[in-house]
Amino acid sequence: AQTVTQSQPEMSVQEAETVTLSCTYDTSENNYYLFWYKQPPSRQMILVIRQEAYKQQNATENRFSVNFQKAAKSFSLKISDSQLGDTAMYFCAFMKPGTASKLTFGTGTRLQVTL
Amino acid sequence: EAGVVQSPRYKIIEKKQPVAFWCNPISGHNTLYWYRQNLGQGPELLIRYENEEAVDDSQLPKDRFSAERLKGVDSTLKIQPAELGDSAVYLCASSPPAGGWETQYFGPGTRLLVL
């Protein structure tokens, strides 16, 4: 079974600074998908960024980028120029290959962006 | 385009009472998921539907939980009877049949409190 570990329960960053959230996972699969989801206090889970394991290039979405280290089974999220609206729970998630598989989530990191 | 709709948003019941949650996925999304999110944890899959067929219900506690997706659109998740440990947020998600099938779109969730 796949497992996802987020070792940072809480993090804080000042507005406009950069923060990195860590995620490691365990799997015997060679191809899979990795995700970062954001869950603001309103509870709506929103996709932040997605990475296919067969792609070596790290995914980037505006201020959000990942550092995907397949051999180390590490998938960290970097948020640049942090904004107050980035305050939320961030979940790392894993998906096995195959159509519409389930997501396996980590326990989340609570990020607080301060003035 | 409307997102995933869930109702009710909040529900408080006494233990041993029945409760039902409703989900309307994004139009055209044939895959529907029900997740349960305990406090301080990431969501865990309860059941996945492909159209009207439940293709993964291995994590659904079938002694008290039931789900249906008549006509392959809306879905209802029921708990009868509810137990104290069922207090959680119940999230519904959907994904399209192709072109982005790996991305799941979540609803706002139903927060259940069992007293």
Side-chain angles (χ1 to χ4, degrees), chain A residues 37-47 91 103 105, chain B residues 2-10 21-26 29 31-37 43 89-95 103-111:
Chain A
Y37 275 88
K38 169 185 177 181
Q39 190 175 41
S42 68
R43 290 280 176 183
Q44 189 101 31
M45 192 87 72
I46 304 167
L47 177 67
F91 290 96
L103 287 166
F105 287 89
Chain B
V4 176
V5 179
Q6 290 188 247
S7 69
R9 292 294 309 276
Y10 304 92
F21 315 124
W22 176 80
C23 173
N24 180 244
I26 293 173
H29 284 196
T31 305
L32 184 146
Y33 312 77
W34 282 103
Y35 288 87
R36 177 168 61 186
Q37 185 176 19
V89 176
Y90 291 82
L91 296 169
C92 179
S94 68
S95 60
T103 298
Q104 296 180 20
Y105 298 83
F106 286 81
T110 296
R111 184 174 298 194

Side-chain angles (χ1 to χ4, degrees), chain B residues 6 18 39 52 56 64 81 86 100 105 111 113:
Chain B
Q6 290 188 247
L39 187 64
E52 64 275 8
D56 183 358
R64 299 184 299 106
D86 296 331
Y105 298 83
R111 184 174 298 194
L113 179 61

Side-chain angles (χ1 to χ4, degrees), chain A residues 25-97:
Chain A
Y25 58 93
D26 187 26
T27 183
S28 58
E29 304 283 348
N30 186 52
N31 193 24
Y32 44 86
Y33 293 85
L34 294 165
F35 304 83
W36 279 98
Y37 275 88
K38 169 185 177 181
Q39 190 175 41
S42 68
R43 290 280 176 183
Q44 189 101 31
M45 192 87 72
I46 304 167
L47 177 67
V48 175
I49 199 165
R50 180 185 74 201
Q51 175 81 42
E52 290 95 337
Y54 66 86
K55 291 185 177 180
Q56 293 190 346
Q57 186 173 6
N58 289 323
T60 299
E61 289 286 343
N62 300 313
R63 298 182 295 107
F64 300 88
S65 61
V66 298
N67 183 3
F68 174 47
Q69 302 290 327
K70 190 173 184 180
K73 296 181 180 177
S74 172
F75 183 61
S76 61
L77 174 69
K78 186 173 79 171
I79 305 174
S80 304
D81 186 24
S82 296
Q83 301 176 359
L84 294 178
D86 295 333
T87 294
M89 283 289 291
Y90 286 81
F91 290 96
C92 179
F94 172 99
M95 179 187 283
K96 286 170 55 178

Side-chain angles (χ1 to χ4, degrees), chain B residues 10-53:
Chain B
Y10 304 92
K11 189 74 176 179
I12 301 174
I13 61 172
E14 294 187 346
K15 63 181 180 181
K16 300 185 181 180
Q17 294 298 307
V19 65
F21 315 124
W22 176 80
C23 173
N24 180 244
I26 293 173
S27 177
H29 284 196
N30 65 322
T31 305
L32 184 146
Y33 312 77
W34 282 103
Y35 288 87
R36 177 168 61 186
Q37 185 176 19
N38 293 315
L39 187 64
Q41 301 292 318
E44 294 181 330
L45 182 73
L46 290 173
I47 189 168
R48 172 167 65 94
Y49 281 94
E50 294 283 347
N51 299 305
E52 64 275 8
E53 180 183 0

Side-chain angles (χ1 to χ4, degrees), chain A residues 8-37:
Chain A
Q8 305 155 314
E10 295 186 4
M11 293 196 71
S12 180
V13 63
Q14 286 192 325
E15 197 176 22
E17 297 297 308
T18 296
V19 63
T20 298
L21 308 184
S22 301
C23 173
T24 58
Y25 58 93
D26 187 26
T27 183
S28 58
E29 304 283 348
N30 186 52
N31 193 24
Y32 44 86
Y33 293 85
L34 294 165
F35 304 83
W36 279 98
Y37 275 88

